[in-house]
Amino acid sequence: MRSLFKRPLFKARGSGLAPLFILPLFAFLPLNVSSQRRERLIDTWKPLHYEVKIALNDQLSEITSAVTKVQVVILKNNVSTIDLDFGDLTINAVKVGGVAAQFERKPERLNVLLAAPAMRGDKLDINVNYHGRPKDGLVLTTDREGKPSATGDNWPNRVHHWIPSLDHPSAKATVTFTVTAPARDLVVANGAFAGSTSESATTRTWTFNETRPIPPYCMVIVVNEGARIDVPGAVTPLSYYVPQLDRAYAIKGFAPAPQSLSLFSQIVGPYPYEKLAMIVGATRFGGMENSSAIVFSSNVFVPNPKARLSEKYGIPVGIVDVVAHEIAHQWFGDSVTEATWADLWLSEGFATYYAGVFIQRYESEEAFQRYMSQAAETYLAYWKRNPTPIFDRNTEDLFKLLNGNNYQKGAWVLHMLRSRLGDDAFFRGVRDYYNSHRDSIATSEDLRMALERASGKKLKVFFDRWIYGSGHPVYELSSTQARAGSLTLVLKQVQVAEAFLDPVIIEVTAGETKKRLTMRPRNKLETLSLKIKGSPTTIVVDPDGNLLKEVVSK
């Protein structure tokens, strides 16, 4: 969700991938050792299916009526309460299995009291009838043309403001939306369109059915007076929903979409949903990857004369990035969802890197190198302020997880794994990871094991250092030439944290001779001697730029 073109405009792209960074050393601070973040547990019940019936008033300023039926399964014996996450909308009635039930309101919570304890394996239907204007989650506003619009915008845990739910990404479920809206408006939601009927001369009711379990933050509806453009020839039914003023530009503006769908279907797996709607609407992010119904910011197509243009598509490179990023999320984040917030990089790091893979394939290698170089710069700037690991179990404000660790460093971890394992093993391992966990959840360890199976290599040390540990290597290289033909290289890691044990390629140039060798650190100091004719003119650490690092002068 949320490309770096989104919240808050994290544009992770820039200049070329230089083989040698010469940057000042950062002042490294001790890690925050506060208590771990408490996450919603799925231990007593879990949702299986949501049936959301919602009616909006003529100006799309209020939910006039809504009924959400949540089918739940009980996970342990003697459960007496179903504790739904829910905001402060007015509740008209609550029923369990069609019978009126007692309930109590708590802050952000609706506790439904069962008439008799439920036992493990029981399935219950919880019906909540409510109305009002949500304070968040369903954004009721106007579009760029000043016309009323309603847009679901739920990340990370805001869907409960308008849908009673278990609001944690691991609580995946299927969903059916039945939306009654003004007859003038178009409606789109997750899943396949199941039909529409005219309720009166002024209203129309639309139904969409998502048959794949999706995370709650991806459950959305969008209602507005926009235009719909169907795109032929894509790997799945593809449509663009845009304001009327963007109609003429939409085909060009979303031009990377069909090829993104095609590429990811080839290298990851078949597209996982019934359709894809690309929607320009109201989201606080540059793009939000709702399953089969991506929403992009309302100003995504507003001309920017200063934007660098894609050589292939003739549109700003930021749009190419955000389109590929959000589409990659359909596989990574939506179909395979992070098991905990600490695993968020499995969503954002993958979407960031696979957007780069798309750029590498369809733009150029040079464009990919620029993209990864700016990603490194963005991460390094973030690390200077926040020396935390990718696997962050402490940060309480979930929006602060949208950072240079989960996006750019996560992307670089994948790039380094690809470089170490080779394209065949890396992409095969990712496909295995995806196929093993599609429509479900995954952890960082699940990815590690899939890549180990594909490559035959042990990656625990790598994951321990790059995912569960913090920081990056800061190399300092020196050389001495005691006599002609003999050169000694000394590679130090001068970061405060412990050593990184990644192999480091060194390229030595002496006259017209270039020699590459690999240093394999066992600790923070590694020495290697080699024979070389003449005196070296240049010595370059990581000449292909395959490591996330700093290189400093002695």
Side-chain angles (χ1 to χ4, degrees):
M1 136 241 86
R2 306 131 321 264
S3 78
L4 300 198
F5 183 69
K6 348 189 227 198
R7 40 178 103 154
L9 290 194
F10 242 117
K11 260 183 152 166
R13 340 313 169 202
S15 58
L17 180 57
L20 184 66
F21 300 136
I22 301 180
L23 300 174
L25 275 174
F26 295 147
F28 293 90
L29 302 175
L31 294 180
N32 184 351
V33 293
S34 62
S35 61
Q36 291 184 10
R37 175 181 57 248
R38 295 181 64 184
E39 297 196 15
R40 193 82 155 91
L41 296 178
I42 305 175
D43 57 351
T44 58
W45 64 275
K46 69 176 181 180
L48 298 176
H49 180 72
Y50 293 89
E51 185 177 323
V52 183
K53 295 182 179 180
I54 187 168
L56 297 161
N57 67 0
D58 183 69
Q59 292 303 304
L60 305 183
S61 61
E62 187 176 30
I63 298 172
T64 56
S65 67
V67 178
T68 292
K69 180 170 76 174
V70 189
Q71 184 186 56
V72 308
V73 62
I74 304 302
L75 301 180
K76 68 181 185 180
N77 291 330
N78 296 312
V79 172
S80 59
T81 301
I82 304 298
D83 52 337
L84 291 162
D85 296 306
F86 195 45
D88 57 6
L89 292 174
T90 300
I91 294 177
N92 302 320
V94 175
K95 295 181 179 180
V96 178
V99 178
Q102 292 186 325
F103 61 92
E104 60 182 10
R105 305 294 295 268
K106 300 285 186 180
E108 309 292 302
R109 194 66 53 89
L110 167 60
N111 292 328
V112 180
L113 309 179
L114 303 181
M119 306 304 285
R120 181 175 180 176
D122 288 350
K123 292 182 180 179
L124 306 175
D125 288 338
I126 313 295
N127 283 55
V128 184
N129 185 313
Y130 54 99
H131 70 277
R133 182 182 176 91
K135 69 177 183 181
D136 204 349
L138 184 63
V139 181
L140 306 176
T141 185
T142 55
D143 64 15
R144 282 176 57 212
E145 297 176 294
K147 296 179 179 179
S149 72
T151 308
D153 192 45
N154 302 318
W155 198 94
N157 56 351
R158 293 151 58 216
V159 73
H160 71 274
H161 290 293
W162 63 289
I163 300 176
S165 54
L166 202 167
D167 202 354
H168 188 274
S170 63
K172 300 179 72 170
T174 55
V175 60
T176 297
F177 281 106
T178 302
V179 182
T180 300
R184 67 176 182 264
D185 290 326
L186 287 174
V187 175
V188 65
N190 308 101
F193 175 55
S196 65
T197 58
S198 294
E199 300 296 306
S200 69
T202 58
T203 64
R204 190 169 187 84
T205 297
W206 307 66
T207 300
F208 291 83
N209 188 28
E210 179 52 74
T211 62
R212 299 286 188 176
I214 61 176
Y217 64 64
C218 286
M219 296 179 181
V220 297
I221 63 171
V222 179
V223 184
N224 57 43
E225 284 189 63
R228 170 178 168 170
I229 303 165
D230 294 327
V231 183
V235 300
T236 193
L238 175 64
S239 300
Y240 305 151
Y241 291 78
V242 300
Q244 294 291 345
L245 58 80
D246 289 328
R247 182 172 192 152
Y249 187 74
I251 292 292
K252 181 176 182 178
F254 281 139
Q259 290 178 318
S260 294
L261 282 166
S262 178
L263 176 63
F264 302 147
S265 294
Q266 292 170 20
I267 66 175
V268 183
Y271 178 71
Y273 300 110
E274 299 87 349
K275 61 107 179 14
L276 180 60
M278 307 278 284
I279 306 158
V280 175
T283 172
R284 67 174 63 185
F285 313 120
M288 177 60 214
E289 69 273 16
N290 315 299
S291 309
S292 78
I294 299 169
V295 177
F296 297 87
S297 67
S298 60
N299 63 357
V300 65
F301 292 147
V302 173
N304 178 3
K306 296 181 179 180
R308 184 163 56 87
L309 298 182
S310 159
E311 293 184 8
K312 179 175 179 62
Y313 298 105
I315 61 177
V317 294
I319 297 179
V320 177
D321 169 19
V322 73
V323 167
H325 182 111
E326 302 307 327
I327 291 178
H329 266 309
Q330 302 297 294
W331 286 263
F332 304 112
D334 294 6
S335 183
V336 178
T337 303
E338 60 276 12
T340 71
W341 288 118
D343 293 298
L344 182 61
W345 80 282
L346 297 176
S347 175
E348 297 303 345
F350 263 101
T352 302
Y353 188 61
Y354 271 64
V357 171
F358 174 81
I359 289 168
Q360 185 179 34
R361 176 73 63 92
Y362 285 101
E363 293 276 2
S364 65
E365 181 65 27
E366 181 183 4
F368 173 66
Q369 298 295 327
R370 285 196 301 268
Y371 178 91
M372 293 304 295
S373 179
Q374 188 166 343
E377 292 170 10
T378 301
Y379 156 72
L380 290 169
Y382 173 79
W383 164 255
K384 183 177 181 180
R385 303 185 307 272
N386 302 278
T388 55
I390 287 178
F391 194 84
D392 178 353
R393 293 182 291 184
N394 295 334
T395 298
E396 293 286 348
D397 183 349
L398 297 177
F399 281 98
K400 291 183 179 179
L401 295 177
L402 303 173
N403 58 40
N405 270 344
N406 282 313
Y407 285 81
Q408 289 89 352
K409 187 178 183 182
W412 262 96
V413 165
L414 294 171
H415 186 59
M416 290 187 291
L417 285 165
R418 179 183 175 188
S419 300
R420 175 178 289 199
L421 305 181
D423 277 13
D424 178 70
F426 174 77
F427 287 110
R428 186 158 35 85
V430 171
R431 285 195 298 272
D432 176 42
Y433 161 77
Y434 172 76
N435 287 324
S436 297
H437 301 282
R438 62 185 176 185
D439 295 331
S440 187
I441 59 176
T443 67
S444 300
E445 288 302 287
D446 291 325
L447 176 63
R448 177 178 68 84
M449 290 185 286
L451 292 173
E452 287 184 345
R453 287 193 298 270
S455 66
K457 297 181 179 180
K458 298 297 183 183
L459 297 171
K460 187 177 185 304
V461 172
F462 179 93
F463 271 68
D464 284 348
R465 196 65 196 86
W466 284 103
I467 301 300
Y468 306 111
S470 60
H472 54 277
V474 182
Y475 296 119
E476 178 187 277
L477 182 69
S478 60
S479 63
T480 57
Q481 193 167 18
R483 60 184 186 279
S486 176
L487 182 69
T488 299
L489 301 176
V490 178
L491 184 68
K492 290 183 180 179
Q493 294 184 36
V494 296
Q495 71 274 4
V496 172
E498 63 187 82
F500 288 80
L501 305 184
D502 308 273
V504 182
I505 295 176
I506 309 294
E507 183 178 82
V508 181
T509 301
E512 297 183 357
T513 302
K514 281 189 177 181
K515 179 175 288 191
R516 285 193 173 192
L517 53 129
T518 301
M519 300 186 75
R520 303 183 184 277
R522 292 160 292 183
N523 48 52
K524 284 189 168 184
L525 181 65
E526 192 68 26
T527 302
L528 182 67
S529 296
L530 67 151
K531 296 185 180 302
I532 189 169
K533 293 182 179 179
S535 298
T537 52
T538 60
I539 304 175
V540 180
V541 177
D542 184 31
D544 297 323
N546 288 330
L547 293 174
L548 180 60
K549 65 186 184 299
E550 291 178 83
V551 178
V552 297
S553 301
K554 188 173 180 179

